[in-house]
Amino acid sequence: MKFTFKLFLIIFGFVILEQKSFSLTDYKIKKICRKEMRVSTCIKNLQKKRSNMEKGNFIEIPVIPYKSN
């Protein structure tokens, strides 16, 4: 009984909790780049990163530290 339960949990983990990554849509890219000073370069950079991610290449994501007041 314990073996079947552990086997179920392992299979559940692989099936349900598999790694999924969803790339940005064109609408979301344009919405993000509205705030930028150079909209066209922002759109090109994000589209390039999206295509690299869809191909399976690694992309660099900057991490901005949180500053509390």
Side-chain angles (χ1 to χ4, degrees):
M1 185 69 180
K2 289 182 182 182
F3 177 74
T4 56
F5 182 68
K6 288 181 183 180
L7 183 64
F8 172 75
L9 286 177
I10 290 171
I11 293 173
F12 178 77
F14 283 129
V15 173
I16 301 299
L17 303 175
E18 68 182 85
Q19 291 183 348
K20 294 182 181 179
S21 61
F22 299 104
S23 59
L24 293 174
T25 62
D26 287 333
Y27 175 75
K28 288 181 184 177
I29 289 175
K30 289 177 184 174
K31 187 176 178 183
I32 291 170
C33 290
R34 280 186 201 156
K35 302 170 190 169
E36 297 294 323
M37 196 167 197
R38 296 184 178 165
V39 177
S40 61
T41 56
C42 176
I43 290 173
K44 286 179 186 177
N45 288 337
L46 286 178
Q47 287 176 344
K48 184 178 177 183
K49 287 182 182 182
R50 177 180 64 186
S51 68
N52 283 338
M53 188 176 76
E54 287 175 350
K55 291 177 186 174
N57 300 333
F58 290 111
I59 59 171
E60 193 173 313
I61 301 172
V63 178
I64 302 170
Y66 176 74
K67 295 180 183 177
S68 62
N69 295 341

